[in-house]
Amino acid sequence: MRQNEFHRPVLAEQAVDLLITDPGGIYVDATTGGGGHSKLIMQRLSSHGRLLCIDADPDAIHYAREQLKGFENRIFRLMYFDQADIALLEENMLPATGFLFDLGISSFQIDRKEKGFAFQGSGPLDMRFDPTNPLSAETVVNEYPKEKLETIFREYGEERQWRRIADKIAQVRGKNRIKNTAELAEIIRSAIPSVQLNKTLARIFQAIRIEVNDELHRLERALNKAFCCLDRAGRIVVISYHSLEDRIVKEFFREKERDCICPPDFPQCVCDKRQEMHILTRRPVTSSENEIRENPRSRSARMRAAEKTVNYSGIL
Ligand SMILES: C[S@@+](CC[C@H](N)C(=O)[O-])C[C@H]1O[C@@H](n2cnc3c(N)ncnc32)[C@H](O)[C@@H]1O
């Protein structure tokens, strides 16, 4: 399989331009996927530079390993990215110079029906990045209390029809377990009017995927850990694909940039807060029309980056 068939990296040049400040530095590709960004990073590093490639999906690690065969100084870890600190410590790679997060799922994961991420066609209700994760979409759909499903659809899917869809699922699963993505898609179709049906399907599938992989909590933890692992002037670059992820990144960077958290009516600052990062992207970077034409999945990409302005403390 060629690289672009597995996954075409989004905002690739721009991401790597923002990430690499020192070609001899230590970098983390926290979502190595098909290795597209990883390869570009390796091409820009000198012989002293090192790259840690992380992914929770063994297929991604297997594929990326093949893609990066010709390079030295890169290592692979099959793990969730909120454990990157452990890998960096074990590999004697602290402090790090930069972290790249290209969130969500790869084209390969969407296209493989057996992974259960797509609402077209039929596959098992799986949706796990890590196949050893005890929680799959099958459990979420069939065993979560209806109220919990409602919350997930509302909060992780931002879907207005959350109540109707959860109601319908509860009704159907009361008779027989819901087994595959085609059945789930059909239940959603039958619960709502057909206007904007694909958008609703995408939102509900996204919501279940976020829950299964605990994506938002992992992102919050990973950003905090990445910050701790970074050297002074090291950077975090994040490409996100929906507003929930983007909000977390934006708020994290903003909080790190603030040098005071006193209420605005305080006559003078009494807090200990100091600026810890400087935001490099006042507005999120988006794909060009050209990139969107060639790779429609880049349409929703939003990239943000920030640079650490305090010293590495060495405490993990
Ligand atoms: C958009 S793809 C990355 C594509 C990659 N940048 C490339 O150029 O091929 C996202 C990847 O991140 C992985 N992933 C998502 N969340 C993760 C997490 N919390 N920990 C580790 N890997 C994660 C997915 O398994 C997927 O392979």
Side-chain angles (χ1 to χ4, degrees), residues 7 31-32 34-37 55-56 79-81 102-105 109 129:
H7 183 85
T31 50
T32 208
H37 287 109
D55 207 290
M79 55 164 40
Y80 286 108
F81 55 48
D102 178 22
L103 301 170
I105 43 180
Q109 288 166 322
F129 295 147

Side-chain angles (χ1 to χ4, degrees), residues 26 48 115 208 250:
I26 295 175
H48 300 290
K115 296 216 177 235
I208 299 171
K250 186 171 68 183

